[in-house]
Amino acid sequence: MLDTDHVTTLVVLDLIGIFVFSVTGALVAVRKHLDLFAATVLAGVTGLGGGFIRDVLIGATPPAALADWRYLLVPATAGVITFFFHPAIGRVERVVTLFDAFGLALFCVTGALKAVEYGLGPLPAALLGMVTGIGGGIMRDVLAGRVPVIFEGALYATPALAGAAVVVLLDGVGVPLGVVVVAGFGMCLGWRLLALVRGWQAPLPKGPANV
Amino acid sequence: MLDTDHVTTLVVLDLIGIFVFSVTGALVAVRKHLDLFAATVLAGVTGLGGGFIRDVLIGATPPAALADWRYLLVPATAGVITFFFHPAIGRVERVVTLFDAFGLALFCVTGALKAVEYGLGPLPAALLGMVTGIGGGIMRDVLAGRVPVIFEGALYATPALAGAAVVVLLDGVGVPLGVVVVAGFGMCLGWRLLALVRGWQAPLPKGPANV
Amino acid sequence: MLDTDHVTTLVVLDLIGIFVFSVTGALVAVRKHLDLFAATVLAGVTGLGGGFIRDVLIGATPPAALADWRYLLVPATAGVITFFFHPAIGRVERVVTLFDAFGLALFCVTGALKAVEYGLGPLPAALLGMVTGIGGGIMRDVLAGRVPVIFEGALYATPALAGAAVVVLLDGVGVPLGVVVVAGFGMCLGWRLLALVRGWQAPLPKGPANV
C-alpha cells in the first residue's frame, strides 16, 4: 500500500480536484444569476457529487467526504470565492477547463480504485470510476435547470471511462499501484486535453428524429 | 422457491424489459439531439434506474445490476443500436410502447417482491414496486431536461402501483409465488394496455391555478 | 431520552411538517398543470425527500418513513386534497408559507439530531440537518422542471443551516435535549419568519457574467 507521504499527496491532489470542480459549479450558478447559497451548493454538488453517487451505490456510507471537514470546507470556500470574484475567474476560464481535466483524470482513477476495493467486478468498477468523474457535473447541470453539457457533444465521459478501464485492467493483472494510477490518470488526461485542443466531439445523431 | 429453469426465465424476461426501457431512453436522447454517450447513459438510466433507486432505499447495495455484466451490457447495446438506427426504431414506436408496458408490468412485480424479501411492510413494498417500474423513466426525463411524461396525464404509474399491490397482497396471504407473479403482471399489463387502447388519462387539475 | 408522551408529540409535529411540505409539492404540480398522480408524487417527494437523502447518505436504510405507513399516508392525503381543492388552498398561501417555515425549523432540528446519532461530526451533521429541511423542496422543483426556488434569492437554507448548527453545538457541549430542540427550532423559525416579513434576500451575483 501507500506510505504516509503518498497518502498526503493523494489527499492534496484530491482537494485540488474538488476545488476546481467546485469552481465550475459556482460559475454555472453565477451565470444563471442564482444567489450566494446556490453558488455554494452547486460548488459542493459538483465537487463531491460524483463521489457521493459512487459511495451510495457501493454502500460505502456515510461517504468519506462527510467524515472529513476539509472535504466540506474546500467546496464552500471555492463557492464563496467564485461568487464574489466571478468576473476575474470567468476571464481565465481556459485555465479552469485545464484544471477540470486534471480533476476528471484524478477522480476516474480514485473512483475506480475504490469500487475495486469494495469488491466490484471490472466492468462495474470502470463504470463507477467514470461516474465519480462525471456525476458531479451532471448533478450541477440538472440542479441549474439545464441539460448536462457532457450530453451535447463534449468529449468528456469517454476519457474518464478509458482512464478508469485502464486502472481496473492493470490493477487486475497485478501491476504495482503507482503505475496503475499514473497510467489511468495519463490516459484520461491525455485524451481529454487532445479533445480540447483539437475540438473533438462525441458523435451526434444523424437523420430526422421524428418527435 | 424457484428452480433453475424458472430463474433463467426470470433473468431473460428481466433483460428483455431492461432492453426495451433502454431503447426508450436512447430515443429521448436522439430526439433532444444529444450525443452517442448521452444515448448510452439515458439508456442505462432508464433501464436500470428504477431498480437502483429501490436498492439504494432498501439498503441492497451494491445493486444487483452492478454485480452482473449482462445487466450493464444490455442497456449499452440498446443505446448504441438505437442511436444509429433511430429512424427505423422510431417508425415502430407503437411496438416499443407495447414492450414498454411489458417491462413496466415485469418491474413492478420483481420490485415489489424484492422489497418484501428485504422486510418492508405491504404499503412501502407496493410503493417500491411502482418506483422500480417508473423510476428509470423519471430519471431519464429529468436528465434530458423535460418534465417527466408520466406527470402529464399518461396512465402509467397507477397500473404499476396496482400490479405491485396485487403482488404484495397475494404474497402476504400465502398464495404460491407463480400465481402471485402472474396476477400482478396481468393486473399491470392489462390496465396499461387498456389505457393505451382507450386513451385513458389521469385526472388533470381543474379551475384556475393562481400562480 | 424522551418519554412516551414526548415521542408522541414529536411524531405528531413531524407529521404536521410533512403534511405542509407535501401541500407545497402538490401546489407546484397543479400550477404546472400536472396530473393527480404527479400531485401525489410531488407531495411525497417534498414531504419525505429531505429525510430520504439524509438517510441514504448516512446509511440509515430503509428510511424510517418506509417503515411507518403514517409517514406514507400523510403526503398521499395532502396531495389528493390539494389537487382537488387547490383554489381554496392557493388563496391561503401565506398561511401555507408560515406552516412551511415551521416544517423547515422542525426538520433541520430532527435531521441534525439523527446525523449526530449516526456518529457524524459537527460540520456534516449540521449540513445534513439543512439538507433534511431543504432537500425535499429541491427535488420537488427539479422534478417539476424548474430551477429550485431557494436558489433564486429566497432566504430559506441559511436559517435551516443556522438552526441545525445550534442543535449540533449545544448538543455537543451537553445541553439537555429539550433545550437543544427549542433553541435550534427557534433560531431557524425566527430567522425564516424575519426574512419573510422584512423581505430579506440572499445576495445575488454582481457584475457581468460572461456566459
Side-chain angles (χ1 to χ4, degrees), chain A residues 40-156:
Chain A
T40 316
V41 167
L42 290 189
V45 161
T46 314
L48 305 174
F52 277 22
I53 298 176
R54 177 204 58 212
D55 288 350
V56 164
L57 282 178
I58 65 178
T61 51
L66 284 182
D68 186 335
W69 57 267
R70 295 173 301 184
Y71 281 76
L72 298 171
L73 280 191
V74 162
T77 310
V80 172
I81 290 178
T82 305
F83 183 82
F84 287 110
F85 302 104
H86 67 90
I89 292 170
R91 275 194 294 275
V92 293
E93 186 150 20
R94 286 181 70 84
V95 181
V96 174
T97 304
L98 281 189
F99 276 97
D100 182 85
F102 159 88
L104 180 71
L106 189 68
F107 290 167
C108 76
V109 170
T110 55
L113 284 176
K114 183 156 185 181
V116 168
E117 196 187 308
Y118 272 76
L120 273 80
L123 184 57
L127 284 172
L128 282 174
M130 180 189 75
V131 165
T132 310
I134 70 174
I138 291 179
M139 287 175 70
R140 169 198 67 203
D141 291 341
V142 166
L143 284 174
R146 67 182 201 189
V147 172
V149 287
I150 68 164
F151 283 178
E152 303 187 300
L155 211 62
Y156 192 88

Side-chain angles (χ1 to χ4, degrees), chain C residues 99-179:
Chain C
F99 275 97
D100 182 85
F102 159 87
L104 181 71
L106 188 70
F107 290 167
C108 76
V109 170
T110 55
L113 285 176
K114 182 156 187 183
V116 168
E117 195 187 309
Y118 271 75
L120 272 81
L123 185 55
L127 284 172
L128 283 174
M130 180 188 75
V131 165
T132 309
I134 70 174
I138 292 179
M139 287 174 72
R140 170 198 66 203
D141 291 341
V142 166
L143 284 174
R146 68 183 201 189
V147 172
V149 287
I150 68 165
F151 284 177
E152 302 187 302
L155 211 62
Y156 192 88
T158 320
L161 183 57
V166 164
V167 165
V168 170
L169 290 175
L170 294 186
D171 186 71
V173 296
V175 172
L177 188 56
V179 179

Side-chain angles (χ1 to χ4, degrees), chain B residues 93-190:
Chain B
E93 187 151 19
R94 286 181 69 85
V95 182
V96 174
T97 303
L98 281 189
F99 275 97
D100 182 86
F102 160 86
L104 180 72
L106 188 68
F107 290 168
C108 75
V109 169
T110 55
L113 285 176
K114 184 157 185 182
V116 167
E117 196 188 306
Y118 271 75
L120 272 80
L123 184 55
L127 283 171
L128 283 174
M130 179 188 75
V131 165
T132 309
I134 70 174
I138 291 179
M139 287 174 71
R140 170 198 67 204
D141 291 341
V142 166
L143 285 174
R146 69 182 201 189
V147 172
V149 288
I150 68 164
F151 284 177
E152 303 187 300
L155 210 63
Y156 192 88
T158 319
L161 182 58
V166 163
V167 165
V168 170
L169 290 176
L170 293 187
D171 186 71
V173 297
V175 171
L177 189 56
V179 179
V180 169
V181 169
V182 170
F185 185 89
M187 165 62 88
C188 176
L189 185 64

Side-chain angles (χ1 to χ4, degrees), chain B residues 56-60 118 120-121 123-124 127-128 130 134 138 142 146-154 157-158 202-211, chain C residues 29-38 41-42 52 56 60-63 65-70 72-73 83-84 86-87 90-91 93 142-145:
Chain B
V56 164
L57 283 177
I58 64 178
Y118 271 75
L120 272 80
L123 184 55
L127 283 171
L128 283 174
M130 179 188 75
I134 70 174
I138 291 179
V142 166
R146 69 182 201 189
V147 172
V149 288
I150 68 164
F151 284 177
E152 303 187 300
T158 319
L204 288 167
K206 284 179 185 139
N210 34 348
V211 181
Chain C
V30 168
R31 283 161 186 185
K32 287 262 176 181
H33 203 66
L34 304 178
D35 65 29
L36 174 58
F37 168 75
V41 167
L42 290 189
F52 277 22
V56 164
T61 50
L66 285 181
D68 186 335
W69 58 267
R70 294 173 300 184
L72 297 171
L73 281 190
F83 183 82
F84 287 110
H86 68 89
R91 275 195 294 275
E93 186 149 20
V142 166
L143 284 174

